[in-house]
């Protein structure tokens, strides 16, 4: 009798635990859905579109350079096949591998284009390091249980597994802003949320993963107020996933093309000698038996202008249109590699006219002065001069005219904008602005 009571008590406890878990999970899913700030998320629209294709023949894979790089409307016509763009913000190579697994599972993919973004390829990565925002965006894209499971376990430690599995948690784009939550609830009630449209005041959407930013950099106005981290060697972590992608595609008879999206010359010069990265990447990809196409080495007729970018390394709507057309012409054999590319980045810059790509305006740690560092292909720095002013509440104050001096003191206790015009042999090259605060 006592044994039966113990069994009954144990059964009741088990049922209570199960009910608690079910209720907790259901509530978590509901709360996560309501609090997730994805009303205007292009990755949510991308995911919806991806799973509503009859078939995807060609896939463009990578991070934000890809989503701001290839317009499927143009690629579909040029290739005569259905193409799709799966670029998401800050997507790591482990995320690219998971998305490719999902794509091959879902469709009869014939070819993938893998973008070799140096910011991703040189990133120090470790398995089980924990998942961040970019990983949870990829996770929400994945639908196959086993692919999701593998992605979570490969990228989560024991301490972060619970956060990875639960619907709510850190880095999952949750918001506690009443305004944003009410906006989402309103969009759910009106049905706007389920129209799967992406549009912001500054950007539109070409469909199938391609974001069209409307803003553009004014020609000759690239600047920055900090140093970009320099190029690093390609990480073994990145290489390990590239080799997994190659193995996966070979098993499924999927062709692979490796390429690099164009970034501004200003951005590349900020980070050091691009030839070092290009040579390392080319040699590595070639050693695996593949060709490597780097669109940072394009000849003049295919090079990007400053106003083809909306920042120093992402193309805007004009740049996307331009790149999509000439890259598709190249990939379909209408343009040869000889006509498209220089043999090195150094050869490209040597064949350009002498110019200043942009200026670094670096403030000193004590906030009392700044230094101008030109990003340029000019060897004779004596040919470069500057007009330097500051703009604040007192108006515009000229600090120097036609000077070669690059270190300049700031007026104490002021704030505003540093205005610099740079000249090469007396010809205006750049006009830039950067904020400052002088202590």
């Amino acid at each position: 009798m006592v044994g039966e009571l113990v069994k009954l008590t144990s059964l009741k406890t088990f049922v209570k635990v199960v009910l608690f878990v079910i209720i907790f999970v259901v509530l978590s899913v509901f709360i996560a859905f309501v609090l997730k700030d994805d009303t205007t998320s292009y990755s949510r629209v991308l995911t919806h579109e991806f799973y509503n294709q009859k078939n995807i023949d060609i896939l463009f894979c990578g991070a934000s350079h890809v989503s701001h790089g290839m317009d499927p409307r143009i690629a579909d016509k040029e290739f005569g096949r259905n193409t799709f763009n799966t670029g998401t913000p800050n997507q790591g190579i482990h995320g690219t591998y998971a998305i490719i697994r999902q794509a091959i599972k879902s469709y009869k993919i014939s070819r993938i284009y893998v973008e070799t973004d140096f910011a991703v390829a040189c990133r120090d990565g470790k398995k089980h390091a924990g998942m961040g925002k970019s990983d949870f965006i990829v996770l929400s894209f994945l639908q196959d249980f086993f692919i999701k499971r593998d992605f979570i376990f490969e990228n989560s430690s024991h301490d972060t597994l619970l956060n990875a599995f639960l619907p709510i948690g850190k880095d999952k784009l949750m918001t506690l802003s009443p305004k944003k939550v009410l906006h989402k609830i309103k969009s759910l009630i009106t049905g706007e949320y389920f129209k799967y449209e992406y549009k912001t005041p500054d950007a539109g959407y070409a469909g199938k993963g391609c974001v069209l930013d409307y803003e553009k950099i004014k020609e000759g106005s690239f600047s920055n107020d900090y140093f970009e981290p320099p190029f690093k060697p390609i990480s073994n972590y990145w290489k390990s996933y590239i080799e997994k992608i190659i193995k996966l595609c070979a098993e499924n008879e999927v062709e692979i093309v490796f390429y690099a999206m164009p970034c501004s010359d200003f951005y590349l010069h900020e980070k050091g000698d691009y030839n070092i990265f290009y040579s390392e990447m080319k040699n590595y990809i070639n050693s695996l038996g593949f060709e490597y196409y780097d669109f940072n080495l394009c000849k003049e007729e295919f090079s990007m202008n400053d106003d083809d970018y909306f920042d120093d390394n992402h193309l805007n709507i004009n740049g996307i249109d331009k790149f999509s057309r000439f890259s598709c012409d190249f990939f379909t054999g209408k343009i040869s590699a000889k006509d498209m590319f220089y043999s090195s980045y150094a050869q490209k810059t040597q064949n350009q006219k002498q110019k200043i790509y942009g200026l670094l305006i670096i403030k000193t740690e004590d906030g009392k002065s700044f230094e101008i560092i030109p990003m340029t292909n000019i060897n004779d720095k004596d040919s470069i001069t500057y007009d330097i002013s500051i703009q604040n509440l007192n108006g515009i104050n000229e600090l120097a005219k036609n000077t070669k001096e690059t270190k300049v003191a700031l007026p104490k206790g002021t704030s505003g904008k540093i205005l610099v015009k740079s000249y090469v042999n007396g010809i205006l090259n750049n006009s830039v602005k950067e904020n400052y605060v002088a202590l």
Side-chain angles (χ1 to χ4, degrees):
M1 186 71 178
V2 174
E4 290 179 359
L5 285 172
V6 171
K7 288 181 180 178
L8 184 60
T9 302
S10 298
L11 180 61
K12 286 181 178 179
T13 302
F14 176 75
V15 170
K16 286 180 181 179
V17 170
V18 171
L19 285 173
F20 172 80
V21 170
I22 291 172
I23 292 169
F24 176 76
V25 170
V26 170
L27 283 174
S28 295
V29 169
F30 174 75
I31 293 170
F33 178 68
V34 173
L35 297 184
K36 190 168 185 179
D37 186 19
D38 64 350
T39 308
T40 58
S41 166
Y42 85 80
S43 59
R44 182 177 72 89
V45 180
L46 175 157
T47 301
H48 173 75
E49 288 181 315
F50 179 85
Y51 290 103
N52 283 277
Q53 303 293 307
K54 290 183 179 179
N55 189 58
I56 295 174
D57 304 296
I58 295 173
L59 204 66
F60 293 94
C61 308
S64 56
H65 287 170
V66 177
S67 60
H68 296 83
M70 182 59 71
D71 187 338
R73 297 172 301 182
I74 295 171
D76 286 355
K77 292 179 181 178
E78 293 295 325
F79 286 106
R81 298 183 185 182
N82 190 36
T83 67
F84 204 95
N85 185 327
T86 56
T88 56
N90 204 30
Q91 185 184 118
I93 191 62
H94 55 290
T96 301
Y97 172 65
I99 286 174
I100 291 172
R101 282 186 68 190
Q102 182 67 71
I104 289 175
K105 178 94 174 177
S106 304
Y107 297 107
K108 182 61 179 175
I109 307 290
S110 61
R111 186 186 308 152
I112 64 169
Y113 288 83
V114 178
E115 209 264 327
T116 58
D117 180 357
F118 61 79
V120 177
C122 300
R123 185 185 300 165
D124 294 328
K126 295 179 181 178
K127 289 189 175 182
H128 316 298
M131 294 172 64
K133 290 181 181 179
S134 59
D135 297 317
F136 286 116
I137 290 173
V138 171
L139 186 65
S140 66
F141 176 90
L142 305 174
Q143 286 192 352
D144 183 89
F145 171 80
F146 297 105
I147 298 174
K148 288 174 80 80
R149 177 204 64 189
D150 292 347
F151 185 71
I152 289 173
F153 277 105
E154 284 181 9
N155 300 288
S156 301
S157 63
H158 294 299
D159 296 338
T160 61
L161 263 178
L162 187 61
N163 182 66
F165 274 107
L166 286 177
I168 55 176
K170 182 184 176 184
D171 291 330
K172 295 188 176 182
L173 305 181
M174 301 286 120
T175 180
L176 294 177
S177 164
K179 184 177 179 180
K180 290 181 178 180
V181 172
L182 287 173
H183 177 67
K184 180 164 185 177
I185 292 171
K186 181 181 177 181
S187 71
L188 290 167
I189 293 171
T190 61
E192 288 294 317
Y193 184 82
F194 303 104
K195 289 182 179 180
Y196 296 99
E197 296 176 347
Y198 175 80
K199 189 174 183 180
T200 71
D202 301 323
Y205 190 63
K208 294 194 286 186
C210 180
V211 180
L212 304 171
D213 279 271
Y214 304 139
E215 293 185 349
K216 64 180 181 179
I217 299 293
K218 184 180 178 182
E219 201 68 29
S221 66
F222 275 126
S223 67
N224 210 341
D225 60 357
Y226 64 93
F227 283 105
E228 285 281 347
F231 293 115
K232 296 180 179 180
I234 299 169
S235 72
N236 290 329
Y237 178 81
W238 187 84
K239 290 179 180 179
S240 70
Y241 273 99
I242 287 295
E243 286 159 30
K244 289 172 74 170
I245 289 171
I246 290 171
K247 183 174 183 292
L248 174 67
C249 289
E251 291 170 349
N252 291 274
E253 299 181 339
V254 177
E255 180 186 356
I256 309 176
V257 178
F258 292 100
Y259 76 107
M261 287 291 303
C263 297
S264 71
D265 291 316
F266 169 69
Y267 180 67
L268 298 180
H269 276 67
E270 274 188 276
K271 300 181 74 64
D273 187 352
Y274 188 71
N275 286 293
I276 295 173
F277 171 81
Y278 169 72
S279 296
E280 185 184 4
M281 180 60 74
K282 184 177 186 297
N283 291 337
Y284 173 65
I285 296 298
N286 289 169
S287 74
L288 298 173
F290 295 87
E291 293 296 323
Y292 173 57
Y293 307 106
D294 192 325
F295 288 93
N296 289 296
L297 274 62
C298 282
K299 294 186 176 179
E300 281 73 16
E301 57 266 42
F302 306 112
S303 290
M304 295 294 169
N305 301 317
D306 293 357
D307 60 6
D308 289 320
Y309 294 90
F310 75 88
D311 64 16
D312 60 12
N313 66 110
H314 291 89
L315 297 175
N316 61 23
I317 183 170
N318 296 327
I320 290 171
D321 182 82
K322 183 187 294 188
F323 175 77
S324 297
R325 294 185 188 283
F326 74 67
S327 64
C328 284
D329 282 347
F330 170 72
F331 287 130
T332 55
K334 296 175 185 174
I335 304 173
S336 69
K338 182 181 178 182
D339 291 334
M340 177 68 73
F341 302 111
Y342 285 109
S343 61
S344 70
Y345 186 68
Q347 187 185 37
K348 172 190 171 179
T349 57
Q350 288 165 7
N351 278 276
Q352 290 174 330
K353 69 176 184 179
Q354 291 196 331
K355 64 184 294 189
I356 300 170
Y357 303 117
L359 301 176
L360 296 182
I361 310 294
I362 308 299
K363 273 81 78 178
T364 55
E365 289 186 9
D366 61 13
K368 295 180 179 180
S369 61
F370 66 93
E371 181 178 3
I372 302 168
I373 304 174
M375 299 293 102
T376 178
N377 62 349
I378 300 170
N379 293 321
D380 180 17
K381 298 299 190 296
D382 283 339
S383 66
I384 302 173
T385 56
Y386 306 98
D387 292 343
I388 307 167
S389 303
I390 59 165
Q391 182 179 19
N392 53 37
L393 294 175
N394 298 319
I396 297 178
N397 178 26
E398 187 177 273
L399 301 182
K401 182 78 172 177
N402 194 31
T403 181
K404 294 180 181 179
E405 181 59 53
T406 59
K407 295 181 180 179
V408 184
L410 286 164
K412 192 174 181 180
T414 64
S415 64
K417 292 184 180 295
I418 299 168
L419 313 176
V420 181
K421 292 182 178 181
S422 60
Y423 301 81
V424 178
N425 294 318
I427 299 173
L428 180 66
N429 251 223
N430 305 85
S431 182
V432 306
K433 296 180 182 181
E434 284 292 341
N435 296 325
Y436 83 92
V437 176
L439 302 177

